[in-house]
Amino acid sequence: TSLLLMAGIVVTVGLCRRATRRQLRSHQGLYTFLLEMFSTFQICACTNELCLLGNVEPKPHTALTLTYGFTVLHGLTLTGSTCNPCGTLQPMWGGGVSVKMGGLKIGAQFVAAVLARVFMHFIWSLEMAEPHSGALSQGCSNPMQTTEMQAFCIELLFSVVFQLAILRVESVNPKYKVHLIALLITMLVYAGGNLTGAVFNPALAFSLHANCFYDKFLSYSLVYWIAPSLGKFFTLDVF
């Protein structure tokens, strides 16, 4: 049921993106906002569901396999979208994208994060699958299973590694590129998922752990917003 749900999300987002390209290409601002919002919604909604499947046996093989598979799927279906505020910072900093357009994309990403969380909470309330039972009563799932400083360093390091890899594989054939990126993300999740969740995406982190931001805003914004953003700027300094 969970796999069918995520497949339905991917298909629906694909149809919405196609309709946006056909109908709104002449309205650049709205076109950019909607494409980025739909794409980020897909990643956030699917990842919310994947997190519920993390305890499915055999552990952690099932979760890692699904992470790899859906990362490849996102890469193939969401071409042209960033879906990560940190990734939007690079063209803004380099002058390739205006501050207005970059801000529009980041706004779309956080709007999508909230919409995905609301949508998934509605789906979970229907209890269509066994993992959905009790999902709404968890509150802050507390992904930070280490000290705040160590969590900050892990998210910072993972952000640097991920962004450097993105820059390195820009010239790689797209059909191989998505697999390389998916493999890297899966390895990072395996290495640090039990400590911080290995998110390194501020919008996705907010969608997954909004309750934690409400309870401990300073700690979680430091680890899941500031650390990935700093990692991006370190990457810019290198290049």
Side-chain angles (χ1 to χ4, degrees), residues 104-120:
L104 195 66
K105 286 187 174 185
I106 292 175
Q109 291 157 1
F110 276 98
V111 168
V114 174
L115 291 177
R117 183 170 181 81
V118 171
F119 172 74
M120 294 309 298

Side-chain angles (χ1 to χ4, degrees), residues 49-60:
E49 186 69 14
L50 282 173
C51 285
L52 293 184
L53 303 178
N55 292 322
V56 173
E57 296 292 346
K59 297 188 295 184

Side-chain angles (χ1 to χ4, degrees), residues 67-105:
T67 298
Y68 176 84
F70 274 90
T71 302
V72 171
L73 185 60
H74 295 325
L76 293 174
T77 59
L78 302 179
T79 54
S81 297
T82 308
C83 307
N84 187 337
C86 297
T88 307
L89 292 174
Q90 180 184 0
M92 287 177 62
W93 186 265
V97 173
S98 67
V99 174
K100 179 181 178 181
M101 193 60 69
L104 195 66
K105 286 187 174 185

Side-chain angles (χ1 to χ4, degrees), residues 25-216:
R25 190 176 290 274
S26 60
H27 304 278
Q28 188 61 37
L30 183 59
Y31 171 79
T32 300
F33 182 89
L34 289 178
L35 275 186
E36 196 66 31
M37 185 187 74
F38 289 137
S39 301
T40 308
F41 177 89
Q42 176 177 313
I43 289 179
C44 290
C46 289
T47 307
N48 268 280
E49 186 69 14
L50 282 173
C51 285
L52 293 184
L53 303 178
N55 292 322
V56 173
E57 296 292 346
K59 297 188 295 184
H61 305 85
T62 300
L64 292 175
T65 300
L66 290 173
T67 298
Y68 176 84
F70 274 90
T71 302
V72 171
L73 185 60
H74 295 325
L76 293 174
T77 59
L78 302 179
T79 54
S81 297
T82 308
C83 307
N84 187 337
C86 297
T88 307
L89 292 174
Q90 180 184 0
M92 287 177 62
W93 186 265
V97 173
S98 67
V99 174
K100 179 181 178 181
M101 193 60 69
L104 195 66
K105 286 187 174 185
I106 292 175
Q109 291 157 1
F110 276 98
V111 168
V114 174
L115 291 177
R117 183 170 181 81
V118 171
F119 172 74
M120 294 309 298
H121 275 214
F122 169 72
I123 295 296
W124 294 342
S125 69
L126 302 178
E127 297 189 356
M128 296 187 299
E130 183 177 348
H132 297 173
S133 301
L136 297 180
S137 61
Q138 291 180 356
C140 173
S141 56
N142 194 18
M144 207 187 304
Q145 300 296 316
T146 184
T147 66
E148 184 177 307
M149 182 55 64
Q150 288 178 333
F152 177 88
C153 292
I154 290 171
E155 288 293 312
L156 175 65
L157 175 61
F158 284 5
S159 178
V160 170
V161 171
F162 178 70
Q163 297 299 339
L164 285 175
I166 292 292
L167 293 173
R168 289 293 187 184
V169 301
E170 281 184 348
S171 59
V172 176
N173 188 310
K175 66 181 180 180
Y176 301 124
K177 178 180 176 180
V178 292
H179 289 280
L180 291 174
I181 293 174
L183 180 61
L184 173 63
I185 290 176
T186 305
M187 291 172 62
L188 293 178
V189 169
Y190 177 73
N194 62 323
L195 297 175
T196 67
V199 185
F200 48 89
N201 180 333
L204 178 58
F206 186 69
S207 184
L208 295 176
H209 308 297
N211 290 334
C212 298
F213 281 92
Y214 301 150
D215 295 341
K216 303 176 182 178

